[in-house]
């Protein structure tokens, strides 16, 4: 084991990032299902705290302390609360770009007296028998009304599908605009998915400081979609025509299509930008949610233009910098990668630009890799420093890829800018040798999972599509096979939007 003197400045700095939460603790309180939260925004809502906590288990209650920037969050049990505290000891929790801190409370329960100076949250959470909504006056529904506030960057059909389909199967989406701005109705296949999506996404920003989601349950019993285009999509019926109804026709917009007087509907449809409204993606393989590469939005997690991401959930000893370069390089040019010497399930990835880091974060957070689930967030680091230790003492855990010939986006106007897709079970292969056979390619890729489909491009046999049984298998194949030799050529691998 190396001593502290041999550890890099960057790794010591990371330890400081982990211990920042601990320094805020006033004592060593024993684990409790009740957590104390501090440094909250003055206008923080109960729902925002539930969004932060519910991925770790059922949230039994929230108690806001008015004017103090503090709150108590009660989880269902100590297992859930401990998982939350341990996770946010390694990853900085934040609400709307402001760092917040969790610690165990000395309380065993939280109470909300009727005349106290506190605000109590409705009972809400995930787990057990489902999601509780307490005294929420909104009746839960499979249809969500989604408003996007402060929309600096375009938000369209593909963006919404990409974000919301993480929480369940989406049946239909309708986009429209009224005096309040951009709005959409999103119908899930089941009630629980809609409730969880609302809990986790309400109040979140698609991009830092802008494109804020405000979500409520719609009163509509069902969405009726007549056209598959940039304003409406029925994923259960891909054969609908694409002709849009006239925007100015009285009663011809989405309101008429619904046949209901729901106040959520406006008078004319919203024409989204930067999306492909005709792509027949199934909900399980959502289209990309990244902003167009001409724009440079700030970091979605409040990093204010950060280029360094922190990645946890790696399989120690099996994931090396080259693997992360291959995976994260799909979404931007990676300059440096560092796997932490004393915490090999965690790494730092540095991009050339903040926008490329933003795109990688949006597409890779929650993606499976070698059986684990990646957790991607913004790091406080602004740079990854190269180590000053020998390779056999951890120096090989940090690699500099600056100027790599494998960078996909170094040339302005490259066609790669138009082929950025989220992880899928189908991979696009290029730079194949002309004499390479289908069996030879499938034999190499079968090492990483079950190959369920393959085809060469008819016009160019140097390119092909290969399909795996799961997204995880495809991700594993990409990180190992990108730039790997097959026959006489080193092949190129990326995710595809196609299906076989």
């Amino acid at each position: 084991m190396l001593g502290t003197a041999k550890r890099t400045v960057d790794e010591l700095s990371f330890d400081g990032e982990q211990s920042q939460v601990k320094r805020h603790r006033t004592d060593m309180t024993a684990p409790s299902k009740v957590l104390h939260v501090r440094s909250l925004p003055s206008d923080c809502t109960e729902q925002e705290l539930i969004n932060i906590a519910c991925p770790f288990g059922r949230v039994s209650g929230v108690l806001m302390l008015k004017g103090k920037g503090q709150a108590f969050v009660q989880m269902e049990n100590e297992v859930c609360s401990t998982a939350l505290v341990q996770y946010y000891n390694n990853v900085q929790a934040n609400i709307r770009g402001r760092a917040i801190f969790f610690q165990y409370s000395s309380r065993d329960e939280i109470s909300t007296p009727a005349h106290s100076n506190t605000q109590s949250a409705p009972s809400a959470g995930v787990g057990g028998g489902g999601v509780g909504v307490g005294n929420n006056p909104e009746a839960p529904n499979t249809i969500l009304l989604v408003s996007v506030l402060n929309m600096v960057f375009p938000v369209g059909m593909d963006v919404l599908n990409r974000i919301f389909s993480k929480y369940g199967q989406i049946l239909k989406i309708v986009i429209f605009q009224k005096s309040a701005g951009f709005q959409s109705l999103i119908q899930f296949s089941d009630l629980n998915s809609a409730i969880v999506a609302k809990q986790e996404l309400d109040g979140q920003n698609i991009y830092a400081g802008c494109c804020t989601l405000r979500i409520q349950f719609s009163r509509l019993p069902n969405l009726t979609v007549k056209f598959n285009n940039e304003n409406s999509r029925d994923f259960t019926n891909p054969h609908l025509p694409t002709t849009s109804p006239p925007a100015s026709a009285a009663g011809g917009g989405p309101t008429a299509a619904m046949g209901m007087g729901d106040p959520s509907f406006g008078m004319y449809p919203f024409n989204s930008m930067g999306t492909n409204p005709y792509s027949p993606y199934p909900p399980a393989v959502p289209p990309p949610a990244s902003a167009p590469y001409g724009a440079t939005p700030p970091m979605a997690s409040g990093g204010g233009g950060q280029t360094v991401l922190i990645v946890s959930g790696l399989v120690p000893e099996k994931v090396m910098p080259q693997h992360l370069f291959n995976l994260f390089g799909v979404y931007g040019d990676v300059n440096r990668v560092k796997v932490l010497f004393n915490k090999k399930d965690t790494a730092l990835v540095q991009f050339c630009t903040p926008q490329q880091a933003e795109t990688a974060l949006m597409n890779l957070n929650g993606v499976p890799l070698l059986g684990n689930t990646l957790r991607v967030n913004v790091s406080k680091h602004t740079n990854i420093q190269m180590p000053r230790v020998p390779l056999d003492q951890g120096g090989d855990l940090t690699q500099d890829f600056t100027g790599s010939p494998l960078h996909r986006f170094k040339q302005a106007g490259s066609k790669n800018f138009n082929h950025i897709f989220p992880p899928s079970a189908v991979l696009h292969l290029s730079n194949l040798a002309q004499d390479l056979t289908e069996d030879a390619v499938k034999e190499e890729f079968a090492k990483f999972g079950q190959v369920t489909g393959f085809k060469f491009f008819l016009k160019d046999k140097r390119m092909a599509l290969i399909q795996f049984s799961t997204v995880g298998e495809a991700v594993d194949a990409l990180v190992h096979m990108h730039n790997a030799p097959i026959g006489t050529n080193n092949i190129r691998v990326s995710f595809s939007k196609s299906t076989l």
Side-chain angles (χ1 to χ4, degrees):
M1 181 65 67
L2 289 177
T4 302
K6 291 186 178 181
R7 298 169 65 193
T8 68
V9 172
D10 192 63
E11 192 154 334
L12 290 171
S13 175
F14 177 79
D15 285 347
E17 185 173 343
Q18 290 191 62
S19 63
Q20 183 175 2
V21 176
K22 299 177 183 177
R23 289 198 297 269
H24 285 285
R25 296 181 180 178
T26 57
D27 53 31
M28 296 301 293
T29 306
S32 168
K33 64 182 178 182
V34 179
L35 302 175
H36 176 253
V37 196
R38 67 186 304 274
S39 192
L40 296 171
S42 59
D43 59 346
C44 179
T45 66
E46 298 162 351
Q47 189 63 56
E48 287 175 306
L49 278 176
I50 293 173
N51 293 341
I52 289 283
C54 70
F56 300 91
R58 183 179 179 86
V59 178
S60 301
V62 177
L63 178 64
M64 306 293 295
L65 305 181
K66 282 186 177 180
K68 295 185 177 181
Q70 300 178 43
F72 292 97
V73 176
Q74 181 173 323
M75 304 299 291
E76 184 176 26
N77 52 50
E78 288 184 10
V79 174
C80 300
S81 63
T82 300
L84 185 152
V85 170
Q86 289 179 347
Y87 180 76
Y88 287 124
N89 276 350
N90 296 324
V91 177
Q92 179 61 64
N94 64 77
I95 291 180
R96 287 182 267 128
R98 178 165 180 166
I100 66 171
F101 304 95
F102 287 90
Q103 66 187 56
Y104 295 115
S105 171
S106 58
R107 295 171 177 237
D108 295 324
E109 300 280 344
I110 62 175
S111 57
T112 56
H115 302 289
S116 70
N117 292 326
T118 62
Q119 291 178 315
S120 62
S123 174
V126 183
V131 181
V133 294
N135 297 321
N136 192 336
E138 292 182 294
N141 190 2
T142 58
I143 302 176
L144 299 178
L145 168 61
V146 179
S147 301
V148 181
L149 309 180
N150 189 25
M151 196 170 75
V152 176
F153 299 98
V155 176
M157 182 70 66
D158 292 349
V159 172
L160 292 174
N161 186 26
R162 167 78 170 108
I163 294 172
F164 282 84
S165 61
K166 291 181 178 180
Y167 302 96
Q169 183 181 15
I170 293 178
L171 301 182
K172 302 168 186 176
I173 299 178
V174 175
I175 294 175
F176 52 94
Q177 183 166 317
K178 57 188 299 184
S179 58
F182 178 99
Q183 292 186 311
S184 174
L185 286 168
I186 300 176
Q187 183 172 356
F188 283 88
S189 62
D190 63 277
L191 182 61
N192 197 66
S193 296
I195 294 174
V196 174
K198 180 180 183 297
Q199 285 185 335
E200 296 205 13
L201 294 175
D202 187 30
Q204 298 296 313
N205 294 334
I206 299 177
Y207 303 109
C210 64
C211 300
T212 304
L213 295 172
R214 295 300 182 192
I215 305 173
Q216 63 190 75
F217 293 112
S218 171
R219 297 199 298 267
L220 290 173
N222 184 52
L223 294 183
T224 302
V225 174
K226 297 181 178 179
F227 302 93
N228 282 340
N229 55 31
E230 71 273 18
N231 301 319
S232 59
R233 187 78 57 81
D234 185 343
F235 295 98
T236 67
N237 187 0
H239 304 296
L240 289 175
T242 59
T243 304
S244 300
S248 60
T255 307
M258 299 305 108
M260 297 289 292
D262 192 304
S264 59
F265 276 110
M267 295 299 103
Y268 54 95
F270 179 83
N271 187 9
S272 60
M273 300 172 60
T275 61
N276 179 6
Y278 306 105
S279 300
Y281 303 134
V285 187
S290 55
Y293 253 75
T296 54
M299 292 302 296
S301 296
Q306 290 284 63
T307 60
V308 181
L309 301 178
I310 181 170
V311 185
S312 59
L314 306 177
V315 179
E317 312 299 340
K318 289 188 178 181
V319 178
M320 299 300 291
Q322 183 66 53
H323 299 140
L324 295 176
F325 172 81
N326 290 347
L327 178 58
F328 282 78
V330 172
Y331 302 103
D333 293 336
V334 174
N335 280 344
R336 290 179 178 178
V337 177
K338 177 183 183 66
V339 176
L340 302 184
F341 181 79
N342 285 342
K343 192 172 176 58
K344 292 186 174 64
D345 64 347
T346 303
L348 300 174
V349 180
Q350 181 176 347
F351 285 85
C352 288
T353 69
Q355 200 277 327
Q356 292 176 353
E358 163 76 15
T359 304
L361 185 152
M362 294 187 66
N363 284 281
L364 292 178
N365 185 36
V367 166
L369 176 62
L370 297 178
N372 283 6
T373 299
L374 295 184
R375 297 300 177 194
V376 185
N377 210 329
V378 182
S379 173
K380 292 182 178 179
H381 298 289
T382 58
N383 184 53
I384 296 177
Q385 298 184 23
M386 295 302 296
R388 298 180 181 179
V389 295
L391 293 179
D392 61 352
Q393 296 180 359
D396 61 333
L397 297 178
T398 303
Q399 289 191 28
D400 191 338
F401 298 97
T402 303
S404 170
L406 296 178
H407 281 170
R408 301 174 189 252
F409 309 103
K410 58 186 177 181
Q411 295 183 353
S414 167
K415 62 182 180 180
N416 290 329
F417 289 105
N418 299 321
H419 295 86
I420 301 173
F421 304 110
S424 66
V426 179
L427 299 177
H428 178 274
L429 312 181
S430 60
N431 200 41
L432 299 172
Q434 287 279 15
D435 59 349
L436 202 61
T437 65
E438 176 179 335
D439 289 341
V441 178
K442 291 169 67 174
E443 181 180 357
E444 292 294 328
F445 278 86
K447 300 173 184 177
F448 307 99
Q450 181 182 0
V451 176
T452 60
F454 181 91
K455 72 173 182 180
F456 284 109
F457 280 53
L458 293 178
K459 295 183 179 180
D460 189 351
K461 286 198 63 177
R462 293 173 301 176
M463 294 191 293
L465 296 176
I466 188 168
Q467 181 169 318
F468 286 86
S469 60
T470 67
V471 173
E473 292 174 349
V475 173
D476 295 347
L478 183 145
V479 301
H480 289 93
M481 294 302 297
H482 180 61
N483 197 42
I486 298 184
T488 58
N489 291 3
N490 285 37
I491 68 170
R492 302 290 185 262
V493 185
S494 58
F495 296 112
S496 174
K497 70 176 182 180
S498 303
T499 56
L500 294 178

